[in-house]
């Protein structure tokens, strides 16, 4: 099988990410019928934390990153975006 070039790999990964987010929205919408949006955000955040922790552990990289201030801001804005997104659903 011929190796894919970087552009083709990137396009495939973007399509896969879009489909993954679409599936997440379907499950979030179903969950929001019986749970509050903040409970759905909490469960989704826990699942994401477990997945990211596995990748950090597998890659043997620093848990704290190179710039903790940016990491905290990313976490705050990511939480806010996720909470608003699920609230809108």
């Amino acid at each position: 099988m011929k190796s894919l070039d970087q552009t083709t790999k990137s396009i495939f990964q973007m399509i896969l990410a879009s489909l993954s987010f679409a599936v997440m929205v379907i499950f979030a919408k179903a969950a929001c019928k019986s749970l509050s949006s903040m409970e759905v955000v909490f469960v989704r955040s826990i699942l994401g934390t477990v997945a990211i922790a596995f990748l950090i552990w597998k890659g043997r990289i620093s848990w704290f990153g190179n710039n903790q201030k940016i990491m905290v801001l990313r976490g705050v804005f990511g939480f806010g975006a996720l909470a608003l997104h699920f609230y809108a659903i």
Side-chain angles (χ1 to χ4, degrees):
M1 184 172 163
K2 187 177 176 182
S3 178
L4 299 175
D5 67 335
Q6 188 59 41
T7 303
T8 306
K9 285 182 185 178
S10 299
I11 291 170
F12 177 73
Q13 289 173 341
M14 290 300 294
I15 292 170
L16 186 62
S18 297
L19 291 173
S20 298
F21 277 106
V23 170
M24 180 186 66
V25 167
I26 290 169
F27 283 119
K29 192 167 188 168
C32 283
K33 289 181 180 178
S34 60
L35 300 170
S36 74
S37 61
M38 291 308 291
E39 289 172 321
V40 177
V41 168
F42 177 75
V43 171
R44 196 276 188 193
S45 296
I46 293 295
L47 293 174
T49 300
V50 169
I52 291 170
F54 174 74
L55 292 173
I56 290 172
W57 173 76
K58 184 180 173 189
R60 299 192 195 290
I61 58 177
S62 171
W63 286 85
F64 301 106
N66 296 330
N67 189 340
Q68 282 98 18
K69 291 178 184 176
I70 296 296
M71 295 283 280
V72 169
L73 281 175
R74 183 179 187 271
V76 169
F77 285 113
F79 169 77
L82 189 64
L84 291 173
H85 178 72
F86 283 179
Y87 177 74
I89 292 173

